[in-house]
Amino acid sequence: MPRGGPDASCLDRLLETDRLEYLDRESAGDEDLEARKRSVVRALDWTGQVFGHHEKFAKVALDEVADVADPKILELGAGHGALSRKLLDWHPSAQVTVTDVEPASVAAIAASDLGSHPRAVVREMDATALDAADGEFALAVFALSFHHLPPDAAAQVMAEGTRAADTLLIIDLPRPPAPLHLVRLATMLPLAPVIPFVHDGVISSLRAYSPSALRALAAHAGPSIDIELRGGLFSPQVALARRR
Ligand SMILES: C[S@@+](CC[C@H](N)C(=O)[O-])C[C@H]1O[C@@H](n2cnc3c(N)ncnc32)[C@H](O)[C@@H]1O
């Protein structure tokens, strides 16, 4: 399925790529690639602070568990851990399991204050194969990460997230209409060869899923999965998936 969804236009279908972001490349023994990956994660944390994403995403997440006493929350693809830190700061009794598939990111988060936080557990976890019991969490949240996965794996995240948590919250880049998308890409492309964060940003943009793609992925993940979509275009795309 195209990233723009089953009915994507011809132009939209051209605006996608199978090329991997630095973050998704295997860096074993490659110090230069590892440095680029660390620089992307630092830039994500920095932009999240400057543009208020960590706070906005934490608010969306906490609204979803407002009626749950002592909610157990699973963060997938945590990267730097800033969203989990905000959840723990803002909620007095939430327990947060902070995870990522990338061992270096998990090690860095575990070495931070989160590693010794009394209500946090930091561990490696693949969002497509959750090491968690059915309904173990009130909420699973996957921020700015869903586009990293190709369609089959993305549908698997929806199936797994809604199995292990009552609600799966996906927050990701919006996929603009194709002409606007071209403009966005044109502004980013000149810096992509020199700034790792922009390099990954261009690929992220080409891999972002449209609302219709998210609906199709939810249907593919399981007939009992409902998906509610909010935002998009100029704000992050928010998807809430639950089993009936
Ligand atoms: C762009 S970063 C987002 C980091 C952070 N959530 C944020 O909002 O800034 C994407 C993250 O998804 C993680 N990731 C990619 N594939 C994953 C998977 N299958 N399971 C869990 N995390 C994954 C990457 O390791 C990376 O840390």
Side-chain angles (χ1 to χ4, degrees):
M1 185 202 55
R3 300 272 172 158
D7 301 325
S9 68
C10 296
L11 178 57
D12 192 281
R13 284 165 198 252
L14 291 175
L15 299 178
E16 60 176 83
T17 182
D18 289 330
R19 193 179 165 93
L20 293 180
E21 299 180 37
Y22 291 136
L23 276 186
D24 292 326
R25 298 185 192 175
E26 184 50 63
S27 58
D30 183 341
E31 286 180 15
D32 180 53
L33 176 55
E34 192 49 46
R36 284 168 197 242
K37 289 168 82 166
R38 292 298 99 213
S39 116
V40 174
V41 173
R42 275 197 308 276
L44 280 163
D45 190 6
W46 184 81
T47 51
Q49 284 176 38
V50 170
F51 294 105
H53 289 146
H54 304 326
E55 298 200 344
K56 280 183 203 147
F57 298 172
K59 184 166 178 346
V60 176
L62 290 179
D63 281 351
E64 288 310 311
V65 292
D67 296 332
V68 183
D70 312 331
K72 290 180 77 178
I73 301 175
L74 171 64
E75 186 184 4
L76 303 162
H80 36 72
L83 172 57
S84 285
R85 186 173 292 109
K86 214 33 105 190
L87 296 173
L88 289 159
D89 284 353
W90 282 0
H91 196 295
S93 63
Q95 293 178 46
V96 181
T97 302
V98 194
T99 72
D100 200 285
V101 76
E102 172 70 41
S105 292
V106 176
I109 296 170
S112 75
D113 55 317
L114 289 173
S116 56
H117 194 290
R119 288 184 285 116
V121 173
V122 181
R123 53 174 300 202
E124 212 174 299
M125 209 183 285
D126 184 340
T128 65
L130 299 183
D131 179 14
D134 294 0
E136 185 173 333
F137 295 94
L139 181 74
V141 52
F142 201 29
L144 303 184
S145 306
F146 196 67
H147 63 271
H148 283 257
L149 303 169
D152 276 344
Q156 187 60 24
V157 171
M158 287 193 177
E160 276 290 86
T162 55
R163 174 191 67 74
D166 299 336
T167 302
L168 168 66
L169 167 63
I170 294 167
I171 304 174
D172 209 353
L173 298 175
R175 185 176 185 85
L180 207 57
H181 199 178
L182 266 179
V183 175
R184 177 161 94 181
L185 291 165
T187 62
M188 297 167 82
L189 269 174
L191 290 174
V194 282
I195 303 179
F197 180 57
V198 180
H199 171 275
D200 277 14
V202 169
I203 296 177
S204 296
S205 190
L206 291 166
R207 295 178 66 124
Y209 288 105
S210 71
S212 80
L214 289 166
R215 283 199 193 91
L217 290 170
H220 185 67
S224 65
I225 296 177
D226 283 333
I227 187 156
E228 177 194 334
L229 302 178
R230 298 181 199 155
L233 199 53
F234 297 113
S235 59
Q237 170 78 66
V238 173
L240 291 152
R242 300 182 185 92
R243 286 181 192 243
R244 282 191 286 278

